[in-house]
Amino acid sequence: MKVAIGSDHAGFELKAYLKDILEKEKQTIIDVGTESEDSVDYPDFGIRVARLVSEGHVDRGMLVCGTGVGMSITANKIRGVRAALVHDLFTAIQSRRHVDANVIVLGGRVTGKGLAAEMLKAWLAEPFQGGRHAARLEKIDKLEEECCKK
Ligand code: RB5
């Protein structure tokens, strides 16, 4: 699987840790930065990952900032992106089964490395269930179309 990853300074350490895990799992990674704990603006990196997902250059995205909130708000502005901010394994798995989330968002100042790694691995492996859930996503797609016309 091809995965785009990005963070701000507050998510840098967790992103680096998870990047290592993705590499060990033989995933193809595009790391859009940031490259250190020097202060940066999370939207700059959130937009890059979200665009790569939206334009089909990668299969999935992963974003990390301090809380995950700013990154999830940013990514969900981009058409076709369904970014899920997760804090527990159940939510991570359900975000794939029911919502077909294509970006996982984590809080580097909130979630420990062990849990983050378990959530990421489970999220990558879990398929979308489709069916009635697909019909609900179509409603979101329609909303996006309406919003873009304005
Ligand atoms: C950066 O200080 C922090 O605001 C950012 O990482 C994130 O938590 C925003 O939602």
Side-chain angles (χ1 to χ4, degrees), residues 5-21 31 33-38 62 64-66 106-109 111-113 116:
I5 65 172
S7 76
D8 70 354
H9 53 287
F12 172 73
E13 189 183 338
L14 183 57
K15 183 193 67 163
Y17 177 78
L18 296 172
K19 183 178 180 179
D20 220 42
I21 287 171
D31 186 349
T34 189
E35 301 302 335
S36 74
E37 291 187 340
D38 295 343
M62 181 194 81
V64 193
C65 64
L106 299 156
R109 291 174 175 161
T111 301
K113 288 176 180 167

Side-chain angles (χ1 to χ4, degrees), residues 16-87:
Y17 177 78
L18 296 172
K19 183 178 180 179
D20 220 42
I21 287 171
L22 289 171
E23 278 167 354
K24 281 180 189 137
E25 296 231 327
K26 309 275 181 234
Q27 308 286 3
T28 305
I29 301 158
I30 298 178
D31 186 349
V32 305
T34 189
E35 301 302 335
S36 74
E37 291 187 340
D38 295 343
S39 185
V40 292
D41 298 332
Y42 59 81
D44 297 339
F45 300 91
I47 290 166
R48 286 182 206 168
V49 167
R51 288 223 165 104
L52 287 169
V53 172
S54 173
E55 292 165 12
H57 300 297
V58 295
D59 305 297
R60 304 273 187 91
M62 181 194 81
L63 287 166
V64 193
C65 64
T67 59
V69 174
M71 282 297 200
S72 53
I73 290 172
T74 303
N76 279 316
K77 301 280 182 209
I78 305 296
R79 201 167 184 172
V81 169
R82 294 176 298 278
L85 171 57
V86 301
H87 298 102

Side-chain angles (χ1 to χ4, degrees), residues 122-143:
W123 182 83
L124 285 170
E126 194 67 30
F128 176 47
Q129 282 180 350
R132 69 184 189 281
H133 304 296
R136 291 164 186 165
L137 295 186
E138 278 168 27
K139 293 193 176 188
I140 298 175
D141 291 344
K142 198 163 167 263
L143 179 68

